[in-house]
Amino acid sequence: MTPILKLLAKALLKGPVTEPAPEQAEIQELADKIDASAKVKLGRSLVIREIDAGSCNACELEIHALGNPLYDIERFGIRFAASPRHADVLLVTGPVARNMAEALKRTYDATPGPKWVVAMGDCAIDGGCFKGGYACLDGVDKVVPVDVRIPGCPPSPTDLLKNLLALLETVR
Amino acid sequence: MTETNQLLRLLKEFPLAETHRPWARRIVDFEAWQGAIDLLAVSDWDFLGLWAEPQASDKEKFQVHMALRDGENTTVVVITLPLEGLSYPAVSGVRPGALRLERSIADLFGLVALGAEDMRPWLDHGRWPVNHPLSEAEPREIVPFEYDFLKAESAEALHQIPVGPVHAGIIEPGHFRFHANGEAVVRLETRLGYVHKGIEALMQGKTLLEASKLVGRVSGDSTVAYAYAFARACEAACDVEAPPRAVWLRAVMAEMERLANHLGDFGAVCNDAAYGIMLAHAMTLKEKVLRAAHKAFGHRLMMDCIIPGGVAHDLGKEGMAQIKAMQREVRRGFERLAQLYDDTPSLLDRTVGTGVTMASLAHRFGTGGVIARASGRSIDARRNPGYAPYDELDFDVPLEIDGDVHCRLMVRVAEIRESLALIERFTDGLPSGPLTRPLPAQEGEGMALVEGFRGEILVWVRIDGSGRILRCFPRDPSWFQWPLLEACIDGNIVADFPLCNKSFNCSYSGSDL
């Protein structure tokens, strides 16, 4: 049997690696709620545009993890878009380096309303460990209005999911 | 008499900085600096880094340091040129990898590299409220600079494709300017600096522990390697060695970081060749490594687990069991993926022969890491200059020679296997004992080279008598890898750029600082 057939056969026999919701009570609870409120607000989907405004790239690693088969964020109807024109939510990381401030503002302006901004990570909230320097603005809210703040350095994928729900409740 | 000895002979006459450890730092004059540059043109010394700082005796005056390594006999040397004015002879004429460092020194200190080919601002986009933040830091009006991109001229019609700083994927920001003739790329120029956070300035005056946190966030995917290099540099400056258990635990973390990142890169490169199943499986394996790290060391990326003097987190029985289980699972799962890669001609068709990087360029630019080893340049800081505990072990440093995307993947595949084996040896042989050793508050200068997953990370520190940072310079491997990305895309098609870029996976944050 060729390697690809082996891999597919294994997936068919053993089923998906995506963690069954009941075992992840927290995530299951989240999934249910996202499903219910997302349907009402956004036609069962939420499209996110990610913007790195000076992050150290650790937050990006954890956002990537959300897409792996264990978390499989797309099953909740949440996906990442390539263009702000298609986005409902801007997920912003980093303390906002001054060199990125204009790009962040322009991306925000390019996003159609209604739109929400999530500041992800300690440094996106208030500059975190990069606070007080000449090169950063110390927080996403210095440039665009922020709706949800997710603390952590970096926040875990579970924290991220939890807070995307908080966002839906905020905008209800 | 070889050129190597000529350089050392030239330097021998000049005074040693007594508090600099573990390698010699020689304070030279203008002529000797120029002489060293001339010798570099005809020798195979590797250029490791270039940085500036104020002179100890007179804060109004500056000095520049250049770190070099002899490729053959593992000698590392730092050469210092105290400046009278605001300029020094450029190194980039003979080691072009120095060019962006010279441009950054001009932005941060206002010091000019005489004879440098490119004097455009690099990190400074005209958006900071101060001029030369690491020297006089004079307040100024914010007026964003126009950036003068290099022109490509041809008898045939060319068009430009501007990309970024906000990219389509979930990646860091930077600007790519392509000149293309139809589908073929004629020139790629990168403009970076968008994520400059002023880390060097933020470190000054911090305690070692505070600074260690900052260094661990120069490039988050290499947080272990940075904290590792910083800790070793501080320990060198204080002339203290971390206890054996800490030394081994650091290596466990470093290999787990390498493993996690290589797995992610392996999947992501295949994904950029439209082979998504590989990404799904590789990311599942990577998640297992991160979860084991979380259970074993309390943080998925192992941030702040390595501190100057030792480690902040012990590895308990439960954590050890998690790592063992992860190892078995990843080893089995990964071999299936490696077989699948070998068995998929449509994927190989995209990776073989794409984005070729030549060894001669890798050497001239001082490039290290996977990119160098995929182009036949066998360098690995774990072996040369080497550091504990790797210097006690035999391990493979894989080498490929063709320098294409495929070779960069093959080096990663071999390193994944090697890291899995190393983790096993480090956890099996873990010595018992204390986790930290206190560092005395004393003046000193230290330097360390640590091999991260991307390549070698250099950290240089100067500590004052109260145990605070006077100056710290962390040099990311990406400084010397970005220019090669520009070179390797020439003649390839635009559609293969994501593939080439991912196979390099340079850090934006790491080189923007």
Side-chain angles (χ1 to χ4, degrees):
Chain A
M1 207 160 37
T2 60
I4 186 70
L5 287 177
K6 271 189 214 163
L7 213 59
L8 293 174
K10 185 174 160 268
L12 278 173
L13 292 171
K14 292 200 173 170
V17 294
T18 307
E19 290 172 339
E23 282 175 25
Q24 297 266 323
E26 207 171 36
I27 291 182
Q28 180 57 45
E29 188 190 350
L30 277 179
D32 289 344
K33 285 193 195 166
I34 285 183
D35 216 13
S37 48
K39 265 183 210 164
V40 179
K41 288 287 163 199
L42 300 153
R44 298 162 69 184
S45 78
L46 192 64
V47 179
I48 301 176
R49 170 64 245 184
E50 194 267 346
I51 305 164
D52 173 340
S55 122
C56 72
N57 78 27
C59 283
E60 279 63 37
L61 294 181
E62 296 299 50
I63 299 171
H64 275 291
L66 275 182
N68 76 35
L70 287 109
Y71 297 105
D72 187 20
I73 191 174
E74 296 211 359
R75 73 183 140 145
F76 302 114
I78 299 174
R79 62 181 188 85
F80 289 87
S83 165
R85 301 273 184 215
H86 307 150
D88 308 304
V89 174
L90 296 180
L91 178 60
V92 189
T93 63
V96 187
R98 284 178 183 270
N99 288 352
M100 266 307 284
E102 188 191 338
L104 171 60
K105 182 74 172 63
R106 283 167 68 169
T107 309
Y108 179 82
D109 291 341
T111 310
K115 58 188 166 190
W116 299 279
V117 175
V118 180
M120 172 185 178
D122 291 345
C123 60
I125 293 172
D126 67 353
C129 60
F130 305 116
K131 195 164 19 186
Y134 63 90
C136 299
L137 289 169
D138 300 347
V140 176
D141 60 7
K142 307 292 188 300
V143 184
V144 295
V146 172
D147 300 287
V148 179
R149 292 169 176 81
I150 310 180
C153 191
S156 68
T158 314
D159 287 342
L160 265 172
L161 266 178
K162 213 187 268 182
N163 283 275
L164 289 173
L165 170 80
L167 167 69
L168 284 166
E169 287 181 346
T170 310
V171 302
R172 183 175 301 182
Chain B
M1 185 72 58
T2 67
E3 289 86 359
T4 297
N5 291 340
Q6 272 184 33
L7 182 58
L8 289 177
R9 209 174 45 189
L10 169 80
L11 295 174
K12 219 167 74 183
E13 297 168 18
F14 291 92
L16 268 174
E18 280 175 14
T19 53
H20 193 275
R21 277 179 290 261
W23 300 295
R25 179 165 78 81
R26 300 269 180 186
I27 300 147
V28 303
D29 58 18
F30 195 87
E31 261 173 52
W33 178 273
Q34 188 58 58
I37 290 171
D38 294 342
L39 283 176
L40 281 180
V42 292
S43 72
D44 63 355
W45 284 72
D46 289 328
F47 172 74
L48 294 176
L50 181 76
W51 64 100
E53 65 167 343
Q55 290 181 22
S57 51
D58 181 355
K59 299 286 176 201
E60 300 285 299
K61 287 185 180 172
F62 296 94
Q63 52 189 351
V64 285
H65 307 284
M66 159 165 65
L68 299 169
R69 172 181 50 204
D70 177 358
E72 277 167 19
N73 59 19
T74 80
T75 311
V76 172
V77 64
V78 178
I79 308 175
T80 301
L81 174 65
L83 306 181
E84 275 308 314
L86 293 174
S87 62
Y88 58 99
V91 186
S92 53
V94 291
R95 288 292 182 273
L99 189 55
R100 287 175 180 176
L101 288 166
E102 289 169 354
R103 290 166 69 185
S104 303
I105 291 172
D107 290 347
L108 300 173
F109 289 91
L111 303 176
V112 177
L114 294 172
E117 227 172 72
D118 189 346
M119 307 270 213
R120 292 173 297 170
W122 180 244
L123 298 177
D124 189 355
H125 291 193
R127 296 173 186 274
W128 309 330
V130 292
N131 239 335
H132 310 141
L134 289 180
S135 61
E136 80 267 27
E138 208 176 15
R140 68 174 184 195
E141 205 182 321
I142 296 176
V143 183
F145 302 149
E146 287 289 321
Y147 195 73
D148 194 13
F149 284 96
L150 302 173
K151 302 280 180 293
E153 284 170 10
S154 147
E156 295 168 286
L158 297 180
H159 64 283
Q160 291 190 24
I161 311 174
V163 183
V166 179
H167 296 160
I170 304 168
I171 57 168
E172 301 179 76
H175 183 89
F176 298 121
R177 183 64 60 99
F178 296 91
H179 280 80
N181 178 10
E183 266 292 271
V185 178
V186 176
R187 182 202 285 280
L188 163 67
E189 190 182 356
T190 46
R191 186 196 186 192
L192 303 177
Y194 289 92
V195 288
H196 176 75
K197 294 178 272 292
I199 291 177
E200 286 164 284
L202 287 168
M203 300 248 282
Q204 291 171 358
K206 294 276 197 294
T207 64
L208 299 189
L209 213 54
E210 291 164 345
S212 177
K213 242 187 122 165
L214 271 168
V215 159
R217 284 153 184 81
V218 168
S219 183
D221 49 16
S222 305
T223 180
V224 170
Y226 267 99
Y228 197 165
F230 179 74
R232 286 188 56 81
C234 292
E235 286 152 16
C238 299
D239 207 9
V240 166
E241 278 194 26
R245 188 172 176 83
V247 167
W248 283 62
L249 281 175
R250 285 174 178 182
V252 173
M253 295 183 210
E255 294 309 320
M256 283 176 72
E257 180 175 82
R258 192 183 327 277
L259 176 62
N261 282 304
H262 277 353
L263 283 169
D265 285 349
F266 178 75
V269 171
C270 296
N271 189 54
D272 276 354
Y275 205 65
I277 190 169
M278 203 74 99
L279 179 67
H281 283 272
M283 287 298 279
T284 304
L285 297 179
K286 180 181 179 182
E287 179 71 19
K288 292 190 194 300
V289 182
L290 298 185
R291 287 183 182 187
H294 181 66
K295 293 252 172 60
F297 298 108
H299 192 288
R300 283 163 58 88
L301 307 176
M302 297 168 282
M303 268 181 169
D304 308 325
C305 290
I306 295 179
I307 52 172
V311 292
H313 205 294
D314 200 7
L315 179 59
K317 260 198 183 130
E318 171 62 10
M320 190 82 93
Q322 291 285 341
I323 292 178
K324 294 263 175 220
M326 172 277 285
Q327 232 177 0
R328 278 193 301 273
E329 222 171 333
V330 171
R331 185 171 281 148
R332 202 170 48 227
F334 181 69
E335 288 310 323
R336 280 194 206 106
L337 300 188
Q339 271 177 22
L340 176 58
Y341 177 81
D342 281 339
D343 195 58
T344 310
S346 60
L347 184 54
L348 289 163
D349 184 52
R350 291 292 304 279
T351 58
V352 176
T354 305
V356 175
T357 304
M358 296 200 300
S360 56
L361 268 189
H363 177 71
R364 287 189 62 213
F365 279 86
T367 311
V370 170
I371 297 159
R373 293 192 285 275
S375 307
R377 185 167 130 84
S378 177
I379 61 162
D380 188 322
R382 292 176 295 175
R383 190 171 271 175
N384 178 1
Y387 49 90
Y390 297 98
D391 50 4
E392 297 168 25
L393 302 168
D394 268 339
F395 59 95
D396 266 351
V397 175
L399 200 65
E400 298 279 336
I401 53 168
D402 291 339
D404 56 6
V405 173
H406 170 71
C407 287
R408 289 190 278 278
L409 274 185
M410 287 301 99
V411 169
R412 288 189 176 97
V413 166
E415 290 187 8
I416 286 171
R417 291 179 180 138
E418 196 61 42
S419 286
L420 280 165
L422 282 172
I423 292 168
E424 191 165 13
R425 285 160 75 180
F426 290 141
T427 46
D428 285 348
L430 199 60
S432 55
L435 295 178
T436 55
R437 188 161 290 163
L439 299 186
Q442 66 175 50
E443 277 180 42
E445 306 163 54
M447 179 172 147
L449 279 166
V450 162
E451 188 76 17
F453 84 98
R454 200 173 261 125
E456 54 191 15
I457 291 166
L458 179 154
V459 172
W460 184 89
V461 289
R462 179 190 295 285
I463 303 172
D464 71 9
S466 66
R468 286 175 183 272
I469 299 288
L470 278 172
R471 175 87 173 97
C472 176
F473 174 69
R475 199 268 299 148
D476 196 87
S478 306
W479 281 102
F480 306 150
Q481 295 173 343
W482 278 115
L484 264 65
L485 178 64
E486 293 179 3
C488 93
I489 191 68
D490 273 5
N492 286 257
I493 58 172
V494 177
D496 275 342
F497 177 69
L499 198 56
C500 296
N501 190 21
K502 197 67 79 180
S503 74
F504 270 62
N505 189 19
C506 299
S507 174
Y508 299 69
S509 183
S511 53
D512 284 355
L513 277 174

